[in-house]
Amino acid sequence: MTDWVGRDEGPDGDRASVREAFSLLAHDIRLDIVLALLKNWAAVYTEPQSYSDLMDAVGMRDSGKFNYHLDKLRGVYVERVEDGYVPTASAVALYRTVLAYRPTEMATETGELDEPCPHCGGTLVEQYERSFFTLDCTDCDNWDLLTYVFPKNGLRNRAGQERYRAVEYRADYHTGLARTGQCPFCAGPVTFHFDPEDVEGTPPLVGITCDTCTWHVGVSLLTPLQFVPRVAAALVDLGIEPPVVEADNVVEMAAEIRSEEPFRVGLDITSEEGTATIVVDDDLDVHSVDVRTDG
Ligand SMILES: [Zn+2]
Ligand SMILES: [Zn+2]
């Protein structure tokens, strides 16, 4: 089985195979076949369509011509199974992505929000451009700043706090999954970047990039770690309920690179209740969690 969109082939090979895959759809009969398969798609419960049913669905009588186009789609958008044909995962992924980001006029009006900044009471401004949602506070534009790719579909029926929380949650849960070594979009391996200036900055930051599909985030070191149960338990001991984006009660966050070989970073989270120290390695695996509460 060839990985027709895999980056291992090198950029030129990638572009050629992606171009080939996209160009397959530039034909009415092939497009009708893919759409007929997607119409009955029901995840694992999808009933395969027989050769003749599929031919009927696209209104064709010429078996030779039909077969020619069906054959071109095989492996890329159409898979032959025991009882007929089903769409491939890439046909489904393409379909879902188009639904998520489909161009419509709805719900993209943005600007100043009625509710105040949860951190400083200042003015919140939201923007939606090129499928990226951005939230800025005009008064405290440092650590609560948010920019993340967000499907336009998710803006529908949401406004104000509910809307930006939805974007925050999506970004946070994606980084939680990435911490386990898996890209939230393509499931490929990810790389963690510990730039000393970022790690030891305020707030402490870590970069995570996907080696395959260009997904990239720069986030608070605590954001991906809050999904580790013992880190979450330590935060609760400090009176901070994960996800931390909701919490106003983090008094201070500071991190330092403690050693290079083996690589260790210590992160201190301080609230009114006390301090938690979380030690991680260069894969963001948690080595220890210590909580010191006052009193
Ligand atoms: Zn603010
Ligand atoms: Zn990826």
Side-chain angles (χ1 to χ4, degrees), residues 5-274:
V5 76
R7 289 215 160 183
D8 294 344
E9 302 173 284
D12 291 342
D14 284 351
R15 284 193 197 106
S17 52
V18 170
R19 186 185 174 87
E20 197 183 335
F22 282 170
S23 70
L24 280 176
L25 297 176
H27 191 287
D28 279 343
I29 293 173
R30 295 198 288 267
L31 194 53
D32 284 348
I33 293 172
V34 172
L35 292 176
L37 287 169
L38 287 170
K39 197 175 170 196
N40 293 314
W41 183 75
V44 75
Y45 303 107
T46 303
E47 290 285 339
Q49 294 189 55
S50 71
Y51 185 89
S52 55
D53 285 350
L54 198 52
M55 204 165 136
D56 286 347
V58 298
M60 285 196 73
R61 299 234 172 80
D62 182 343
S63 176
K65 201 168 165 188
F66 175 75
N67 196 47
Y68 168 80
H69 289 294
L70 184 63
D71 202 47
K72 283 207 168 272
L73 293 169
R74 274 174 71 166
V76 182
Y77 297 116
V78 175
E79 187 178 348
R80 173 106 172 87
V81 293
E82 206 181 317
D83 303 321
Y85 296 88
V86 292
T88 60
S90 44
V92 172
L94 190 59
Y95 175 65
R96 282 178 161 163
T97 304
V98 170
L99 284 181
Y101 293 95
R102 67 193 179 281
T104 62
E105 292 304 311
M106 51 108 189
T108 51
E109 68 287 351
T110 48
E112 277 187 22
L113 293 181
D114 288 337
E115 49 262 61
C117 169
H119 299 290
C120 78
T123 306
L124 290 175
V125 178
E126 56 175 14
Q127 275 188 352
Y128 188 70
E129 281 176 7
R130 295 192 290 165
S131 303
F132 281 84
F133 183 94
T134 299
L135 183 71
D136 271 324
C137 170
T138 55
D139 301 284
C140 72
D141 57 351
N142 45 34
W143 79 277
D144 52 346
L145 193 132
L146 170 72
T147 296
Y148 198 64
V149 66
F150 192 72
K152 198 182 245 182
N153 191 46
L155 301 179
R156 191 206 290 263
N157 302 331
R158 289 194 178 105
Q161 192 185 68
E162 195 194 351
R163 181 143 92 175
Y164 72 75
R165 284 281 150 82
V167 183
E168 278 178 328
Y169 275 34
R170 190 171 181 84
D172 287 3
Y173 278 89
H174 279 178
T175 63
L177 180 60
R179 193 201 64 84
T180 69
Q182 177 184 157
C183 170
F185 287 96
C186 78
V190 298
T191 302
F192 303 99
H193 303 274
F194 296 89
D195 181 331
E197 268 186 32
D198 290 339
V199 173
E200 296 182 351
T202 309
L205 299 175
V206 61
I208 313 176
T209 54
C210 171
D211 305 340
T212 310
C213 78
T214 74
W215 181 75
H216 166 80
V217 288
V219 289
S220 164
L221 195 47
L222 186 56
T223 300
L225 295 175
Q226 66 183 317
F227 297 99
V228 178
R230 54 186 170 145
V231 173
L235 292 172
V236 171
D237 286 347
L238 296 181
I240 302 165
E241 287 286 333
V244 175
V245 289
E246 302 248 32
D248 300 333
N249 49 1
V250 177
V251 175
E252 201 186 341
M253 269 201 279
E256 67 167 347
I257 296 172
R258 292 184 172 185
S259 67
E260 292 289 345
E261 287 290 337
F263 187 83
R264 294 287 184 269
V265 171
L267 171 66
D268 286 332
I269 313 289
T270 304
S271 77
E272 302 284 349
E273 316 277 320

